[in-house]
Amino acid sequence: MQTNSVEPVTDIVSGDGELASPPWHTDMRRGLSSEQVAEERVRFGRNVVDSTARRTWWRTLWEVLREPMFLLLLAASGIYFVLGDVSEALTLLAFVMAIVFLTVFQSHRTARILDSLRELSAPRAQVLRDGQRQLVSAAELVPGDVVFVDEGARVPADGVVTEAHELSVDESLLTGESVSVSKSVARANALAQEDPYGQLFFGSMVVQGQGQMVVTATGLNTTLGRIGKSLTGISEARSPLQLETRTFVNRFASVAIVLCLLLVAAYRLRSGGWLPGVLAGITLAMGILPEEIPVILTVFMALGARRIADDGVLTRRMSAIETLGQTSVLCVDKTGTLTQNRMSVRVLFAQGKWQVIDQATRHIEEAYHELIEYLVLASEIEPVDPMERAFHEAGRVGLAGTGRLHKDWSLVHEYALTPELPAMSHAWHTPELDHHAVACKGAPEAVCALCHLGERETQAVLDQAAQMASGGLRVLGVAKARHSQAEWPEKQHEFAFTFVGLVGLLDPVRPEVAGAITECQAAGIRVVMITGDYPSTALAIAAEVGIDGARIVSGQEVAAMNDSQLREAIKNVDVFARVKPDQKLRLVNAFRESGHVVAMTGDGVNDAPALKAAHIGIAMGLRGAEVAREVASLVLLRDDFAPIVSAIRLGRRIYANLVQAISYTIAVHIPMIAATMIPVLVGWPPMLAPIHIVFLQLVIDPVCSIVFENEPERENLMRLPPRRVGARLLSGRALAQGATAGALAAILVLGLYAGLLTQGYEQPLARTLAFVSLVAGNVALIFVIRVLPQSGARAEVRRQNRYLWIVLAVTGVALLLLMTVPALARLFGLVALLNQGGGV
């Protein structure tokens, strides 16, 4: 393992050993002030390399104007002009403008929602400003900012290294070389780019260690920006649902072309005119084309992502929303997900005895002072991790006035924790001693191995650790060593460590977790705990939150199993302990190969492969590494379990409402197609014209994209099993139900039209009554689709949806105006029913 000396500096050292001012004369202890940041941002702009333009109204308008429906409407208007029906043509054009406005508004609103979600998922940076460490969007960085980088982070700008702790960076995005580059504190010539080992470059990834840098270039002025390279890469591939709906729409379009040509030919044979036949064909095409479906899919996914974000989960990939309803296994970590990640020292074990620490504890016995002393020394000087904060707090309270808090000692060497050796060591320069003090903390078994304890001694320590862990505590071992030689050992094993003791930390379970897990289990979702903690700790937490811990498998047992044995083991095991990151990937793949849809949480660099392999990778937004967030489908805006369950619930609701919306689209197009085709084929006067289709579209579009999107969830939504893998958006049953409902509406409308014509009513009056019945049928189909059972759900009366009543009220007012204003009725080729001698 490579180790580096710790190199803290307050200024950049020049080549001749003289201190040089940092770039932009930054105060390294306070960073830039808010006023300086504002000035630099005006001068240099946002720290953005990708030049993807935000969605504009004009761009959205241009996309809408190219839609087939719009082109058909323009063609119909042109034919009306040729036929001499100027008023009809102008009316149709007015409706065209209304449809364009509504479509542009909806599309632009959806695009802006997606833009805002992308901004939420943008990289962030830890920066020192006004003397405070802050978390800001990387786009807000300016030259002169003091930025902290650590393992798993994407370097947010170009800069020079001012502090390095085993810092190693992957620069393959720039160089193409996959070998990581070690970084050290920059010299003055780093600014002239003559010291690449003292520089960090925008877009590179920190693969080991941590450090601090001063930003020297942002945005297009960075190395990445100058070569014009984009971090966004290739756009996301179409999801299975997008491919399915695209195929569905294309099939409808093919059918529409054939039917339209047949209708034009039939009209020509019956009437001898081409233009009226073409107009009838256009009307039919407008009635057949389900152009709402792609819009519905986009709107549902965008608004669904916003709903999920409101519940604390950021959607990085829209396809994850589709998959949420299929989730059958949810793999979660313990610390910070099931627990609160607010640790406190609860039990100390040293010199063969132990002491419990709680709120009533006023004094820590002297026998445990050395244990706390070396716990603090083995922790970061300025801790961020809750566990190390707990150690510092225990030292502040328990060691006050004892002389064991060493403010004058300086950290000179460190050894990082690795998957192979889960222990870390810090070496300190001690002014009053003739040697360096080395402090180590880590997994009890790893510390025992470093101390070269005998089998009996090791077993005694591990038995004590297991007893502490059985109470749900996280247990660490502590050791100490002296080092007097000039050279530092390559490995921690080369130190002569002495065992000091054990510490047990309490991390309380989140109060809402047990209920959320019960909800998952009722929904047919297995919750599997995968933790690096002690088996006894994992079992205690599992029992508290309601996870089946009847059998537990350790990482050591996982390593001993082949893939077949592992697939067999996971059938009945819900708790995995002492698991290493590479074993998480094996577990995810085993669940996948067993036919499960897997969602998994993770936060570290080593979790990235497993997050990527899972159907839904869920990264921790607050404590997660940047690389984990990049590969994940979902990012938790607050690191706990409840938002995951909320996201699954919302994913099921979004999908169920999408099925309803598309079922309604299919159902409502059937009477429109029948009312356009059948009168022409049997020799009746045409019932529908393009303007009638436009009116119906103004009802259908908001019903699909607003009403059904806002449908409340069914009461038994989270008591249904997960949707099976490979299930089509519309099952044969759902398709048959929608088609049957639409066919019944078509029979009633055409039956009314035929009956009125047969009884001798004039065609305008028959068309008027049939058109009113068609609108009423469309409205009735909303209620029919709402109460139809879906994929195992029983039929039920739905809760109120205020958007439904708003749309129905607007439709009713529009229809009332059409039936009461003669001039308006004439534009539609109808008669004003309520003005014919007091009504019909």
Side-chain angles (χ1 to χ4, degrees):
M1 181 187 72
Q2 179 185 6
T3 59
N4 293 335
S5 295
V6 178
E7 303 178 88
V9 297
T10 55
D11 290 290
I12 298 174
V13 184
S14 65
D16 57 6
E18 296 295 327
L19 290 179
S21 297
W24 279 263
H25 305 286
T26 301
D27 182 344
M28 298 299 292
R29 289 173 292 276
R30 293 189 54 80
L32 296 180
S33 66
S34 300
E35 293 77 13
Q36 288 174 309
V37 170
E39 291 173 4
E40 297 299 323
R41 187 168 297 130
V42 171
R43 182 179 173 191
F44 292 99
R46 286 167 56 84
N47 178 34
V48 177
V49 170
D50 300 303
S51 57
T52 305
R54 288 181 65 87
R55 179 64 65 99
T56 63
W57 287 101
W58 293 111
R59 181 182 171 190
T60 306
L61 176 62
W62 174 242
E63 290 180 357
V64 171
L65 294 181
R66 292 183 296 172
E67 289 293 325
M69 179 63 74
F70 177 77
L71 298 176
L72 287 171
L73 287 168
L74 286 183
S77 299
I79 292 175
Y80 276 124
F81 273 118
V82 172
L83 293 175
D85 294 334
V86 177
S87 61
E88 191 89 12
L90 293 176
T91 303
L92 192 56
L93 282 175
F95 273 98
V96 167
M97 298 311 297
I99 286 181
V100 167
F101 172 78
L102 289 174
T103 306
V104 167
F105 176 78
Q106 183 74 292
S107 298
H108 189 72
R109 175 170 171 254
T110 302
R112 294 302 294 267
I113 290 172
L114 294 174
D115 284 341
S116 65
L117 289 172
R118 277 191 287 269
E119 286 186 3
L120 279 175
S121 65
R124 300 171 299 170
Q126 289 276 357
V127 62
L128 182 66
R129 289 178 180 169
D130 296 314
Q132 300 292 324
R133 189 164 175 163
Q134 305 173 20
L135 185 66
V136 302
S137 169
E140 302 304 315
L141 293 180
V142 297
D145 263 327
V146 178
V147 176
F148 304 93
V149 293
D150 54 18
E151 185 175 300
R154 180 80 69 180
V155 177
D158 281 5
V160 293
V161 181
T162 58
E163 188 172 325
H165 300 255
E166 298 187 313
L167 187 61
S168 184
V169 178
D170 177 3
E171 297 179 346
S172 58
L173 182 68
L174 290 166
T175 65
E177 297 290 336
S178 58
V179 178
S180 59
V181 180
S182 295
K183 298 292 181 176
S184 56
V185 173
R187 307 301 171 181
N189 58 1
L191 295 178
Q193 297 195 3
E194 297 173 2
D195 179 17
Y197 299 105
Q199 290 183 290
L200 292 174
F201 300 102
F202 189 11
S204 54
M205 182 70 72
V206 180
V207 296
Q208 180 180 316
Q210 54 189 305
Q212 178 181 293
M213 75 175 196
V214 175
V215 175
T216 57
T218 57
L220 297 177
N221 295 320
T222 62
T223 302
L224 191 72
R226 286 196 298 271
I227 64 176
K229 206 161 187 177
S230 172
L231 285 175
T232 54
I234 301 171
S235 59
E236 186 180 350
R238 292 181 182 272
S239 70
L241 191 55
Q242 288 174 317
L243 294 173
E244 183 182 348
T245 54
R246 186 180 184 183
T247 302
F248 188 78
V249 171
N250 288 341
R251 287 175 179 171
F252 255 73
S254 301
V255 173
I257 292 172
V258 173
L259 292 180
C260 290
L261 292 175
L262 290 175
L263 188 63
V264 171
Y267 204 98
R268 167 73 172 127
L269 291 174
R270 287 189 175 278
S271 65
W274 280 108
L275 285 181
V278 172
L279 191 62
I282 290 174
T283 304
L284 178 60
M286 291 168 58
I288 292 178
L289 283 177
E291 84 290 343
E292 304 93 352
I293 291 180
V295 175
I296 291 168
L297 186 59
T298 302
V299 169
F300 271 56
M301 293 304 158
L303 294 182
R306 189 177 68 177
R307 289 182 189 277
I308 292 174
D310 290 340
D311 269 24
V313 182
L314 178 64
T315 307
R316 285 183 54 86
R317 291 172 179 80
M318 293 296 126
S319 57
I321 298 177
E322 305 171 21
T323 317
L324 281 168
Q326 294 178 309
T327 303
S328 57
V329 171
L330 178 55
C331 299
V332 296
D333 191 11
K334 175 183 70 68
T335 304
T337 306
L338 302 179
T339 63
Q340 298 179 25
N341 204 23
R342 291 193 317 200
M343 295 190 179
S344 59
V345 174
R346 178 52 60 97
V347 177
L348 299 171
F349 173 78
Q351 300 179 18
K353 57 182 181 178
W354 50 275
Q355 179 178 356
V356 176
I357 309 296
D358 55 27
Q359 293 180 347
T361 303
R362 295 289 179 265
H363 173 71
I364 296 178
E365 296 177 20
E366 187 176 350
Y368 308 102
H369 286 183
E370 185 181 51
L371 173 59
I372 299 175
E373 175 188 9
Y374 279 89
L375 272 173
V376 174
L377 291 174
S379 303
E380 296 296 336
I381 299 172
E382 295 183 3
V384 176
D385 185 272
M387 178 177 65
E388 296 194 336
R389 285 181 176 177
F391 296 152
H392 275 267
E393 177 63 18
R396 186 186 66 81
V397 174
L399 299 182
T402 64
R404 290 182 179 270
L405 293 175
H406 307 290
K407 298 294 184 182
D408 57 334
W409 289 14
S410 57
L411 179 63
V412 292
H413 208 78
E414 59 184 339
Y415 296 81
L417 179 147
T418 65
E420 296 75 27
L421 181 63
M424 62 181 292
S425 296
H426 283 174
W428 296 84
H429 172 64
T430 56
E432 70 276 16
L433 302 175
D434 60 355
H435 62 265
H436 292 100
V438 183
C440 172
K441 73 175 189 296
E445 60 269 29
V447 173
C448 287
L450 288 174
C451 294
H452 305 290
L453 297 182
E455 185 176 342
R456 179 178 296 179
E457 293 173 302
T458 298
Q459 191 59 49
V461 171
L462 295 183
D463 288 344
Q464 183 63 44
Q467 183 179 346
M468 294 166 66
S470 64
L473 300 181
R474 181 172 186 176
V475 183
L476 295 181
V478 181
K480 66 177 182 176
R482 296 182 176 189
H483 182 73
S484 303
Q485 302 176 19
E487 297 295 326
W488 291 103
E490 182 180 351
K491 299 178 180 179
Q492 298 179 72
H493 279 286
E494 297 178 33
F495 287 110
F497 278 114
T498 301
F499 185 77
V500 176
L502 298 171
V503 59
L505 296 114
L506 177 65
D507 187 7
V509 169
R510 295 182 183 276
E512 72 278 4
V513 164
I517 288 178
T518 300
E519 189 174 9
C520 282
Q521 292 167 344
I525 303 169
R526 280 179 65 188
V527 180
V528 177
M529 181 198 298
I530 302 178
T531 179
D533 219 330
Y534 237 79
S536 302
T537 306
L539 280 176
I541 299 298
E544 188 172 351
V545 300
I547 296 176
D548 180 14
R551 185 184 169 199
I552 187 170
V553 170
S554 68
Q556 189 174 4
E557 292 174 296
V558 170
M561 296 178 185
N562 59 35
D563 291 344
S564 176
Q565 291 171 328
L566 185 58
R567 285 195 297 271
E568 186 64 30
I570 63 174
K571 291 181 180 179
N572 302 305
V573 178
D574 290 339
V575 180
F576 296 85
R578 275 297 190 252
V579 173
K580 296 180 180 179
D582 60 312
Q583 293 167 344
K584 289 185 179 181
L585 177 59
R586 282 196 68 199
L587 287 169
V588 168
N589 287 332
F591 279 116
R592 288 190 59 145
E593 291 164 6
S594 299
H596 292 286
V597 174
V598 185
M600 179 183 170
T601 65
D603 58 3
V605 177
N606 293 325
D607 288 334
L611 289 173
K612 192 171 184 179
H615 293 93
I616 304 175
I618 306 172
M620 302 293 127
L622 299 181
R623 58 187 168 91
E626 188 68 41
V627 65
R629 291 194 291 269
E630 284 189 6
V631 302
S633 304
L634 304 175
V635 176
L636 297 183
L637 299 179
R638 61 180 193 271
D639 295 350
D640 63 59
F641 187 78
I644 302 175
V645 183
S646 296
I648 292 174
R649 173 188 289 275
L650 281 170
R652 289 189 172 197
R653 171 188 166 185
I654 292 164
Y655 196 91
N657 289 349
L658 180 62
V659 170
Q660 286 188 98
I662 295 182
S663 297
Y664 175 75
T665 300
I666 292 171
V668 83
H669 275 79
I670 291 176
M672 292 166 60
I673 295 169
T676 303
M677 282 194 69
I678 292 178
V680 174
L681 294 177
V682 300
W684 301 338
M687 176 181 158
L688 296 181
I691 196 169
H692 301 125
I693 301 293
V694 171
F695 183 93
L696 293 170
Q697 288 295 138
L698 290 174
V699 176
I700 295 170
D701 288 349
V703 167
C704 291
S705 59
I706 297 177
V707 173
F708 282 116
E709 198 281 327
N710 283 280
E711 275 290 275
E713 66 186 52
R714 295 178 185 264
E715 291 182 1
N716 65 338
L717 183 71
M718 289 296 282
R719 295 194 294 274
L720 298 174
R723 196 173 71 253
R724 65 179 179 83
V725 179
R728 292 188 305 170
L729 177 64
L730 284 184
S731 63
R733 178 185 178 186
L735 195 60
Q737 288 175 338
T740 301
L744 288 174
I747 291 170
L748 292 175
V749 170
L750 287 173
L752 176 62
Y753 187 57
L756 291 171
L757 291 176
T758 304
Q759 294 297 319
Y761 286 89
E762 294 181 358
Q763 192 268 345
L765 180 58
R767 168 188 269 185
T768 301
L769 293 173
F771 180 71
V772 171
S773 69
L774 181 57
V775 174
N778 284 357
V779 170
L781 285 174
I782 301 173
F783 293 93
V784 171
I785 296 298
R786 288 181 83 231
V787 300
L788 285 176
Q790 294 180 14
S791 42
R794 64 179 182 274
E796 61 182 35
V797 178
R798 308 299 297 275
R799 286 178 285 173
Q800 294 298 319
N801 180 349
R802 64 188 180 94
Y803 292 95
L804 170 61
W805 302 109
I806 292 172
V807 170
L808 293 185
V810 172
T811 302
V813 170
L815 195 60
L816 184 63
L817 291 174
L818 199 60
M819 296 299 97
T820 57
V821 180
L824 190 59
R826 283 195 297 272
L827 289 175
F828 278 77
L830 307 175
V831 295
L833 298 179
L834 302 183
N835 283 277
Q836 293 192 352
V840 176

